[in-house]
């Protein structure tokens, strides 16, 4: 499989598949394809895996595209302005926030991943269930805005607004902590919680939190009456 990232404002990944090569994606991500591709839809991993994906913000069913010729081309598009990020899962498993997964080769697998502490998901604002990408091969993630990649040293800590975390390696410790100070909570405008990431390992962040962006738009919509 060969790929290229195309577009800038709302990018896509265009993949060229040879005969027998296959990719899977969440429902609705395919934007164009050439002849020589067949599609099948399944739960991928059974009922338990499917229900787990539902809680991560992904589709219960996954679409699978398999090439029957050499050189077939298929493109998968992001849903909001931002970045499409290729990641080689062969280099290590990734924990991703819900909605980050775009598409992957069939040799990559995806399942729900529970945070280590129940409070992290219950109060963290981004859901108790995350996604784990494992196996080997290429996967592609959606990033809102621009991508920022950092490698944390052992014991190095970074605190991030919860909605700006995209993915991190499984060696990174993930916790949710409450913003300190009642004045900060009431008037700081940054929400109640921060994500605390502790190294070692690679992390991927995004410069935009699309949920916050949509909230600002909704606030400016005139109300009737």
């Amino acid at each position: 499989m060969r790929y290229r990232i195309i577009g800038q404002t709302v990018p896509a990944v265009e993949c060229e598949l040879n005969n027998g090569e296959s990719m899977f994606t969440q429902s609705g991500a395919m934007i164009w394809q050439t002849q020589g591709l067949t599609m099948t839809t399944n739960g991928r991993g059974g009922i338990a895996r499917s229900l787990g994906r539902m809680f991560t913000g992904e589709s219960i069913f996954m679409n699978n595209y398999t090439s029957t010729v050499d050189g077939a081309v298929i493109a998968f598009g992001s849903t909001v302005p931002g970045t499409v990020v290729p990641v080689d899962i062969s280099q290590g498993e990734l924990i991703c926030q819900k909605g980050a997964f775009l598409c992957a080769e069939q040799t990559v697998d995806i399942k729900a991943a529970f945070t280590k502490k129940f409070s992290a998901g219950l109060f963290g604002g981004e859901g108790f269930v995350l996604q784990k990408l494992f196996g080997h091969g290429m996967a592609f993630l959606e990033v809102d805005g621009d991508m920022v990649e950092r490698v944390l040293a052992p014991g190095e800590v970074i605190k991030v607004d919860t909605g700006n975390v995209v993915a991190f390696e499984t060696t990174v410790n993930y916790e949710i902590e409450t913003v300190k100070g009642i004045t900060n909570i009431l008037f700081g405008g940054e929400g109640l919680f921060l994500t605390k990431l502790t190294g070692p390992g690679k992390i991927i962040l995004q410069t935009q939190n699309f949920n916050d962006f949509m909230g600002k738009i909704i606030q400016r919509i005139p109300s009737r009456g």
Side-chain angles (χ1 to χ4, degrees), residues 1 6 21-22 119 150 157 166 178 182 190 196 205 214:
M1 187 273 291
I6 55 177
E21 291 185 324
S22 182
S119 59
R150 294 188 58 173
V157 173
V166 177
T178 307
I182 188 64
E190 298 297 334
K196 180 181 178 182
L205 309 177
M214 288 301 298

Side-chain angles (χ1 to χ4, degrees), residues 99-196:
F101 174 76
L102 177 59
C103 61
E105 295 183 275
Q106 290 290 350
T107 49
V108 175
D109 211 343
I110 182 172
K111 68 177 181 179
F114 290 86
T115 56
K116 294 180 180 178
K117 294 183 178 180
F118 180 77
S119 59
L122 186 62
F123 302 111
E126 293 301 316
F128 178 52
V129 184
L130 300 171
Q131 302 174 100
K132 182 178 182 179
L133 294 176
F134 60 101
H136 64 276
M138 295 301 300
F140 300 88
L141 306 179
E142 288 190 61
V143 171
D144 299 347
D146 294 317
M147 179 193 72
V148 177
E149 183 177 290
R150 294 188 58 173
V151 177
L152 300 179
E156 182 180 1
V157 173
I158 185 170
K159 298 180 182 181
V160 188
D161 184 278
T162 307
N164 291 89
V165 177
V166 177
F168 49 89
E169 293 180 326
T170 53
T171 54
V172 175
N173 186 58
Y174 169 92
E175 297 178 81
I176 296 294
E177 65 176 36
T178 307
V179 173
K180 294 179 174 58
I182 188 64
T183 303
N184 293 333
I185 293 174
L186 294 178
F187 306 110
E190 298 297 334
L192 295 178
F193 306 99
L194 290 174
T195 301
K196 180 181 178 182

